[in-house]
Each structure stands twice: as C-alpha cells, then as structure tokens.
Amino acid sequence: MHSKAGPGEEAAGQVPLTERGARTRERILRAAREVFEERGFLDTRVAHITRRAAVAYGSFYTYFPSKEAVFLEVADRLFQDMTEHALVPSEGPSPAACVRRANRAYYEAYRRNARMMAIIEQVATFNVEFQEMRRKHRAGATGRLAEVIRRWQRAGLVGGKLDAEMAARALAAMVDHSLYLWFVQGEDTPDTERLLDTLDALTIRALGLQA
C-alpha cells in the first residue's frame, strides 16, 4: 500500500502516479530549462518557473523540492543527450567513418545545448552535486569509448600498446573542450567543417586508424 507522497518526494526519482501528473512535471521541466537559459541559475526563482509553466506555486513542490533539484534533472537529461549517444562512435563502414560520425553528432548535440552548458559550467564551480553528476556522465561516455578502442585493438585496427582508457579520456577532452571554447567562450574559430575535419584527423592519427 502506497502512502501519499509529500512535497518534493517524487523529485527524488519517483514517477508521477497519474498521466496528468507526468504531463505537469514535464511542463515544469521544459519551463525550467527555458528560464534557466534566459536568466541563468543564480537569477532564476521558482516563481519564474511556475509562471512560465502556468502551474500553481505549490505544484512545483509536488514534484521538486527546490530550484537546485529541477536544475539537476534538466542538466542530467542534457548530459544523457550529449554523452550517451553522440560521443561514442557507432557502427559504420570503417573506424575512421565512425570517428567522423561521432564528432559530428557531438557537435550537433553541443550546439543544441550550448546555452545550458554555459550555465552548468558556472554552477559546477560552486556546487559539488553538479560536479559529481558531470563526472558520472563523462566517466560513462569515456568508458564506452574506451571499450570501442579495445574492440578495434582486438581486431588489429589500433595498436595494442595504446592505453585505451587514457586515450578515450584524452580524445574526449580534446573534442569537448574545443567545442566549449567555441560555443561557450565565443573563441574565434574557423568554419565548422574545418574545425571538425581537424578534430577527425587528430583523433584518427592518434589511434593509428586508416583514414
């Protein structure tokens, strides 16, 4: 027998009990992301989110105990979008083609999420929970990338002496930081294809793959 959830209990990971509740929760999440992107984390208030979502103030606390909790879920979903699929090469006609596809997919994911990424980077400087979440997603993505490299090593496509884990970390950091400097810091960079072609070439050469 389930007792009625109190304010904020469902934000800890419980799924809303009704379809209407699920829709309301999703509306709050969408509104929160919009407001965070417009105002930043520090200047956003729960009242801003509830007005954007067109829900009662108390409804917010039915699903989330705080502004930090809703921000954490928005950020968690963002990193799932960015690292669970885009960062890791998928199957393709050749390993080099997989690298090119992965870099372009990650570029598109970063472009979609650039405004939130800038805010997340800011929050991570003073919030340990967000730092841990970011590390968790990064570790998962680099772990999957390392396994791809090991598979290529077993197939004789990548040198067996290369440390797959460290290579995955270094290559992921190179791509990620290059896009961070471009999208978030606004660094003067060449056109998109020139940048991506260079990241492709560096990754392919570092792994010793056939271009």
Side-chain angles (χ1 to χ4, degrees):
M1 181 176 180
H2 298 286
S3 61
K4 185 176 179 181
E9 288 182 6
E10 290 184 340
Q14 297 181 14
V15 176
L17 299 180
T18 66
E19 184 177 342
R20 180 181 177 183
R23 289 197 302 268
T24 300
R25 194 173 189 277
E26 287 299 314
R27 191 161 72 247
I28 292 171
L29 282 164
R30 288 194 300 271
R33 173 159 179 163
E34 291 174 3
V35 175
F36 285 132
E37 287 181 340
E38 291 173 7
R39 292 176 172 269
F41 177 79
L42 295 176
D43 291 335
T44 292
R45 302 289 180 266
V46 170
H48 298 144
I49 297 172
T50 57
R51 282 200 295 269
R52 180 65 59 87
V55 300
Y57 194 76
S59 295
F60 177 93
Y61 289 103
T62 300
Y63 304 105
F64 300 99
S66 64
K67 176 182 76 170
E68 288 76 12
V70 71
F71 184 84
L72 184 64
E73 183 158 343
V74 168
D76 190 57
R77 289 185 176 194
L78 178 151
F79 280 120
Q80 288 180 33
D81 175 41
M82 293 186 63
T83 63
E84 287 196 1
H85 307 289
L87 188 61
V88 180
S90 59
E91 296 298 328
S94 70
C98 291
V99 166
R100 295 185 186 97
R101 183 181 301 164
N103 282 344
R104 280 151 182 76
Y106 194 61
Y107 167 85
E108 290 297 333
Y110 212 114
R111 185 173 62 83
R112 286 195 303 272
N113 296 297
R115 294 180 70 178
M116 274 301 298
M117 283 297 295
I119 299 166
I120 289 169
E121 291 294 336
Q122 178 191 42
V123 174
T125 63
F126 59 81
N127 188 296
V128 174
E129 190 173 13
F130 295 128
Q131 293 173 8
E132 289 300 321
M133 178 201 65
R134 185 173 59 173
R135 278 196 288 267
K136 176 193 74 174
H137 282 290
R138 174 61 59 184
T142 55
R144 291 190 296 275
L145 178 56
E147 183 51 41
V148 171
I149 294 172
R150 293 188 190 100
R151 187 170 73 242
W152 289 342
Q153 287 176 317
R154 291 192 293 269
L157 301 171
V158 172
K161 293 184 178 180
L162 183 69
D163 186 319
E165 181 182 353
M166 291 307 298
R169 290 185 181 185
L171 293 171
M174 175 186 70
V175 174
D176 188 69
H177 196 62
S178 295
L179 297 181
Y180 168 77
L181 290 174
W182 190 357
F183 284 115
V184 176
Q185 294 294 327
E187 185 175 273
D188 184 23
T189 58
D191 62 84
T192 301
E193 285 305 313
R194 184 180 172 193
L195 174 65
L196 291 175
D197 287 346
T198 301
L199 292 174
D200 294 342
L202 291 171
T203 301
I204 290 166
R205 291 171 186 171
L207 294 175
L209 295 170
Q210 291 292 322

